[in-house]
């Protein structure tokens, strides 16, 4: 009976992989260039990106509570449905106001998915007695998503170059619909919170506040993520600045997705992954600093930064999920996403204004130096915690 349950559980995982692969956005490789073609400045693009993240932050916790009390599966399916609506709004957008509305829908879609999708996957594996495999399964899921993104970006770039940038946007819809239908065949998660909405939120907040380990996981994830985001957030315009080709930028984004996919799929092993996790707060901002020195060095940052972050974040995910009770999983995950969204929103707003003022290259140098300092402090703290745990052992 155990063998049969294992096969069923792995079938669930494979459906997650397939749905992730088919969740294509053919416009990803030229999205910022598309916004610029509509007359938006870098500051306005940064404002949209920041607004998106702030909206996600505002919506994260309410949608996370819904996922914990109703169903994580329902939350993920709602996210896919809203993605279809976003495509229609983006395709027909003709003004900044239209793009703001599309951004609202996109933020709502993201909020319904974050925390719920990974929690859903973790709980299925946990029920099958395979929770220890979650970091690898999470990495494989991200890999299949980026493989699909790689293929979609290549095709979307060619279509945009020949037929214009609007066509790939609407052609993304059939793929997202298929992804939604596949997810609908996966069994529901079973853990539910029996508390009222308000009490559940208070209990989840109290859990995070009282857990020193969870609080530190929140902080360290943002140090790692923002150190890479300061390069990737405007990466399309970064490369477009010296290549001046929509097709070239689309192919670079496709390359980025291929590298991202390989990095998520490949697992360095528990020991190596833990070491990468410890040093990631220093290595990633150093790589971003290199990108600010020379445009061609940006390719090194793209490759090495992606690999380091993917291995470190897989380790982070395993630690994070194992530290959270099932009935609070989506809400605590949403609370993390809230902090990440606020931090990313602030960073995008600052980067947009800073890049308009000093240029992308100089701006990257300034901000990466700041995060390098934070990364060094994080490394010192991790080393002290490791020494203390070894002493107790």
């Amino acid at each position: 009976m155990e063998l049969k349950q294992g096969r069923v559980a792995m079938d669930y995982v494979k459906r997650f992989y397939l749905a992730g692969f088919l969740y294509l956005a053919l416009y990803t490789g030229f999205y910022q260039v598309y916004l610029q073609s509509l007359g938006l400045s870098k500051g306005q693009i940064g404002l949209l990106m920041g607004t998106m993240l702030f909206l996600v932050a505002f919506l994260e916790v309410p949608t996370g509570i819904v996922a914990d009390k109703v169903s994580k599966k329902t939350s993920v399916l709602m996210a896919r449905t809203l993605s279809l609506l976003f495509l229609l709004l983006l395709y027909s957008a003709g003004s900044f106001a239209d793009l703001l509305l599309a951004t609202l829908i996109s933020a709502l879609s993201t909020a319904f998915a974050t925390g719920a999708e990974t929690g859903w996957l973790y709980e299925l594996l946990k029920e099958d007695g395979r929770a220890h495999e979650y970091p690898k399964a999470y990495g494989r899921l991200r890999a299949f998503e980026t493989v699909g993104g790689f293929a979609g970006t290549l095709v979307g770039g060619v279509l945009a170059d020949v037929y214009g940038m609007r066509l790939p946007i609407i052609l993304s819809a059939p793929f997202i619909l298929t992804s939604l239908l596949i997810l609908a065949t996966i069994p529901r998660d079973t853990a539910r919170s029996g508390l009222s909405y308000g009490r559940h939120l208070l209990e989840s907040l109290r859990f995070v506040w009282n857990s020193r380990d969870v609080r530190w996981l929140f902080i360290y994830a943002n140090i790692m993520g923002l150190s890479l985001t300061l390069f990737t957030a405007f990466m399309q315009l970064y490369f477009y600045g010296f290549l001046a080709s929509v097709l070239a930028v689309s192919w670079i984004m496709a390359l980025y997705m291929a590298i991202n996919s390989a990095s998520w799929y490949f697992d360095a092993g528990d020991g190596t992954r833990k070491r990468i996790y410890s040093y990631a707060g220093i290595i990633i901002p150093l790589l971003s600093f290199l990108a600010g020195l020379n445009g061609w060095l940006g390719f090194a940052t793209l490759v090495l930064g992606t690999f380091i972050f993917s291995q470190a974040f897989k380790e982070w995910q395993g630690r994070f999920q194992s530290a959270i009770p099932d009935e609070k999983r989506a809400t605590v995950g949403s609370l993390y996403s809230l902090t990440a969204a606020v931090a990313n929103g602030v960073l995008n707003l600052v980067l947009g204004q800073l890049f308009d003022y000093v240029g992308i290259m100089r701006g990257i140098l300034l901000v990466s130096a700041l995060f390098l300092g934070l990364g060094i402090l994080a490394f010192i703290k991790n080393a002290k915690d490791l020494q203390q745990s070894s002493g107790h052992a």
Side-chain angles (χ1 to χ4, degrees), residues 324-338:
I324 306 171
D326 287 343
E327 71 278 4
K328 294 182 175 67
R329 193 172 308 283
T331 303
V332 175
S334 292
L335 287 169
Y336 159 70
S337 297
L338 185 154

Side-chain angles (χ1 to χ4, degrees), residues 232-382:
T232 59
F234 286 78
M235 188 167 61
Q236 294 174 18
L237 298 181
Y238 172 90
F239 286 111
Y240 189 73
F242 67 94
L243 295 175
S245 167
V246 172
L247 182 59
V249 171
S250 293
W251 283 16
I252 289 172
M253 294 305 296
L255 173 66
Y256 169 61
M257 290 180 180
I259 294 168
N260 202 19
S261 176
S263 298
W264 284 114
Y265 190 86
F266 173 76
D267 190 76
D270 289 344
T272 302
R273 200 170 59 226
K274 286 179 171 63
R275 286 192 292 274
I276 291 174
Y277 176 81
S278 297
Y279 288 95
I282 295 176
I283 297 174
I284 296 174
L286 274 176
L287 291 169
S288 293
F289 189 86
L290 288 178
L293 292 175
N294 181 274
W296 295 104
L297 289 177
F299 287 99
T301 303
L302 185 151
V303 175
L304 296 176
T306 300
F307 176 78
I308 295 296
F309 177 77
S310 65
Q311 298 302 309
F313 200 73
K314 279 191 284 187
E315 176 65 22
W316 183 91
Q317 273 284 338
R319 299 183 185 203
F320 184 64
Q321 294 292 347
S322 63
I324 306 171
D326 287 343
E327 71 278 4
K328 294 182 175 67
R329 193 172 308 283
T331 303
V332 175
S334 292
L335 287 169
Y336 159 70
S337 297
L338 185 154
T339 63
V342 170
N344 276 274
V346 171
L347 182 64
N348 277 283
L349 287 172
V350 170
L351 290 177
Q353 299 301 319
L354 183 64
F355 291 171
D356 268 339
Y357 183 68
V358 302
I360 290 180
M361 305 295 283
R362 289 182 181 178
I364 288 176
L365 287 174
L366 292 171
V367 182
S368 60
L370 170 63
F371 277 98
L372 178 58
L374 294 175
I376 292 172
L377 293 175
F379 176 78
I380 293 171
K381 182 192 181 303
N382 284 334

Side-chain angles (χ1 to χ4, degrees), residues 175-188:
F175 295 100
I176 294 178
L177 177 60
T178 304
S179 174
L180 186 157
L181 294 175
I182 292 171
L183 287 171
T185 68
I186 299 176
R188 290 177 177 269

